[in-house]
């Protein structure tokens, strides 16, 4: 009796060979491919029940599935999987999956080939005033600059790519998930929440001895300006991948340095340059170092 194949199988099992079922997240197109391959309804339905998924199940989507040859029982299994939380199950909910359609906790992620890395926000609780001498000597004609300061000379999250890809997951993307219901990462005020990358500015930091800083306001005789100056903003493009999820990329390659996405800073109802008198900003910082 030859046992080579049997022993090889045991070795694979002992090594924890990854399961294709565990690794895949089904979509409408994948289900159509299974049907068109002639697997039969029973096999396709079994695959649907065993897999995490991200289906589009609007009325138009269901009609399209039917026109592409998907049977009523298979469509019903897709609907049932969605209603029972196949998309939002803990098995499908991931903090590092490279698939942007897999639900992630709300936040900003740097995308690498194998995984996504979540960028935790850094809070700037202090501001620095620059150009005081010029402002004083010119009687306020020269501008005085206000800078946001964050600690450390480099960000925790780094990439070697000159034009990295980011994914922004807002609360809409996780609405109804088992992990939802807690305090929102994106609340920006008593009655509003951040819902789009368009509300952020991409900026570059100047690195000092033990900190990083960037200009967020200016003041002279003509008045005061709060927020990132237009000439300091780094342009970026974004597109919606699915409700609440956006793909974000810089419009051009970025040189080595320290960067961050910062909420748009504006003069609010409070006395401070930051708005609401809070004197703080939340920045999703990252570094580019080839």
């Amino acid at each position: 009796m030859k046992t080579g194949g049997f022993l090889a199988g045991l070795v694979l099992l002992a090594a924890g060979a990854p399961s294709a079922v565990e690794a895949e997240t089904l979509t409408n197109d994948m289900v159509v491919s299974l049907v068109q391959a002639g697997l039969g309804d029973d096999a396709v339905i079994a695959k649907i029940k065993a897999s995490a998924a991200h289906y589009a199940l609007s009325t138009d989507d269901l009609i399209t599935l039917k026109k592409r040859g998907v049977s009523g029982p298979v469509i019903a299994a897709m609907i049932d999987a969605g209603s029972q939380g196949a998309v939002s199950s803990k098995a499908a909910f991931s903090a590092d999956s490279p698939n942007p359609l897999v639900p992630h906790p709300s936040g900003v992620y740097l995308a690498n080939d194998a995984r996504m890395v979540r960028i935790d926000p850094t809070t700037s609780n202090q501001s620095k005033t620059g150009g005081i001498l010029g402002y004083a000597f010119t009687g306020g004609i020269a501008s005085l600059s206000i800078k946001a300061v964050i600690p450390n000379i480099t960000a925790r999250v780094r990439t070697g790519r000159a034009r990295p890809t980011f994914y922004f997951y807002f609360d809409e993307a996780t609405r109804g998930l088992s992990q939802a219901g807690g305090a929102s990462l994106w609340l920006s005020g008593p009655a509003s929440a951040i819902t789009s990358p368009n509300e952020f500015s991409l900026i570059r930091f100047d690195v000092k001895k033990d900190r990083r800083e960037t200009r967020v306001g200016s003041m002279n005789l003509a008045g005061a300006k709060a927020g990132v100056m237009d000439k300091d903003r780094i342009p970026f493009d974004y597109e919606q991948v699915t409700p609440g999820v956006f793909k974000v990329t810089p419009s051009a390659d970025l040189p080595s340095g320290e960067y961050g996405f910062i909420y748009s800073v504006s003069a609010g109802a409070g006395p401070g340059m930051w708005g609401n008198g809070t004197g703080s900003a939340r920045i999703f910082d990252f570094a580019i170092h080839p």
Side-chain angles (χ1 to χ4, degrees):
M1 177 179 177
K2 296 182 178 181
T3 60
F6 177 73
L7 290 175
L10 288 179
V11 170
L12 286 174
L13 289 174
S19 168
V21 171
E22 293 176 355
E24 287 185 321
T25 299
L26 292 185
T27 63
N28 290 32
D29 288 340
M30 294 172 71
V31 171
V32 171
S33 296
L34 292 173
V35 170
Q36 293 178 349
L39 293 181
D41 285 0
D42 289 344
V44 175
I45 291 172
K47 176 69 173 177
I48 289 171
K49 291 181 178 179
S51 302
H54 191 94
Y55 301 126
L57 297 173
S58 68
T59 300
D60 289 341
D61 292 322
L62 298 181
I63 293 173
T64 299
L65 286 169
K66 187 64 177 177
K67 289 180 177 179
R68 296 179 70 183
V70 181
S71 69
V74 171
I75 293 176
M78 294 170 68
I79 295 172
D80 184 60
S83 66
Q84 293 183 12
V87 173
S88 60
S89 65
K90 291 184 179 180
F93 199 91
S94 172
D96 59 5
S97 171
N99 184 354
L101 296 180
V102 171
H104 289 65
S106 297
V108 176
Y109 294 78
L110 171 66
N112 293 319
D113 292 332
R115 59 193 288 261
M116 286 195 198
V117 180
R118 191 171 189 263
I119 302 176
D120 293 326
T122 298
T123 300
S124 171
N125 287 318
Q126 61 174 306
S127 59
K128 177 184 176 184
T129 304
I132 296 178
L133 291 178
Y135 180 85
F137 289 152
T138 61
I141 296 176
S143 293
L144 179 152
S145 62
I146 309 297
K147 297 182 178 181
V149 179
I150 58 176
N152 303 319
I153 61 172
T154 189
R156 182 183 62 85
V157 176
R158 305 180 183 184
T159 179
R161 295 180 177 177
R163 196 179 302 190
T165 298
F166 302 88
Y167 286 93
F168 284 53
Y169 287 80
F170 295 101
D171 294 334
E172 183 181 1
T174 54
R175 186 173 298 150
L177 299 180
S178 59
Q179 287 81 356
S184 170
L185 173 70
W186 301 115
L187 290 179
S188 61
S192 62
I194 307 297
T195 59
S196 166
N198 196 43
E199 300 178 64
F200 288 78
S201 294
L202 175 58
I203 49 88
R204 183 173 183 176
F205 285 99
D206 294 323
V207 179
K208 303 300 180 180
K209 181 179 179 181
D210 58 354
R211 66 189 185 278
R212 290 160 287 161
E213 56 186 46
T214 186
R215 187 169 62 162
V216 293
S218 65
M219 182 174 63
N220 58 24
L221 281 178
K225 295 181 181 179
V228 179
M229 303 295 104
D230 289 340
K231 65 180 181 180
D232 294 334
R233 287 193 178 96
I234 299 172
F236 61 85
D237 302 312
Y238 68 90
E239 60 178 304
Q240 182 169 310
V241 177
T242 192
V245 181
F246 294 83
K247 179 181 179 181
V248 176
T249 53
S251 300
D253 289 354
L254 303 178
S256 297
E258 300 292 322
Y259 298 87
F261 290 97
I262 182 173
Y263 288 165
S264 296
V265 180
S266 60
M273 283 288 292
W274 298 84
N276 298 318
T278 58
S280 66
R282 300 180 75 193
I283 303 167
F284 296 84
D285 57 319
F286 63 95
I288 294 181
H289 293 298

